């Protein structure tokens, strides 16, 4: 993929996530992906998206480096919801093989998230 094709691919992926159109994930991820070093099925990856968006219904992804914000309504990453909107940085790296994600790594600023939910 060219750099422009990769940018378009990723923006479509983010649009899919923000529209909760997870049934289209086969367009973006292999049957098995390596997520933070652990093999997971695409179905498990979709379940993880549902876990995040069920806990934080207004969660949205914005491409900068990668910025995520939303208002948790259920326990999320071990933190109880407080009604506060949270904003935190997430750095993500993806390897695209044959036009779909094969390896995924991400690191979320959990300290900033915890600080916002415990204030």
């Amino acid at each position: 993929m060219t750099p422009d094709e990769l940018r378009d691919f990723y923006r479509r992926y983010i649009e899919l996530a923000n529209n909760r159109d997870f049934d289209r994930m086969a367009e973006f991820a292999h049957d098995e992906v390596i997520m933070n070093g652990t093999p997971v099925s695409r179905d498990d990856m979709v379940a993880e998206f549902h876990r995040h968006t069920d806990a934080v219904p207004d969660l949205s992804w914005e491409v900068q480096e990668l910025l995520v914000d939303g208002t948790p309504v259920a326990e999320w990453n071990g933190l109880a919801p407080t009604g506060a909107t949270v904003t935190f940085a997430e750095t993500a790296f993806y390897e695209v093989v044959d036009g779909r994600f094969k390896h995924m790594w991400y690191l979320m600023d959990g300290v900033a998230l915890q600080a916002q939910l415990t204030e």
Side-chain angles (χ1 to χ4, degrees), residues 35-109:
M35 188 173 291
N36 290 337
T38 302
V40 297
S41 70
R42 183 175 50 237
D43 290 342
D44 289 339
M45 182 179 153
V46 169
E48 186 74 3
F49 269 104
H50 282 290
R51 186 181 73 77
H52 290 307
T53 57
D54 288 348
V56 189
D58 61 349
L59 184 68
S60 65
W61 287 263
E62 177 186 339
V63 177
Q64 286 182 353
E65 289 185 39
L66 187 58
L67 177 71
V68 182
D69 66 3
T71 306
V73 297
E75 183 176 302
W76 186 42
N77 293 325
L79 299 168
T82 63
T85 296
V86 295
T87 301
F88 55 91
E90 179 181 69
T91 302
F93 301 92
Y94 301 89
E95 179 185 14
V96 175
V97 175
D98 297 327
R100 294 185 291 171
F101 294 128
K102 182 62 180 173
H103 291 92
M104 307 169 80
W105 300 267
Y106 62 92
L107 179 62
M108 174 173 35
D109 185 353

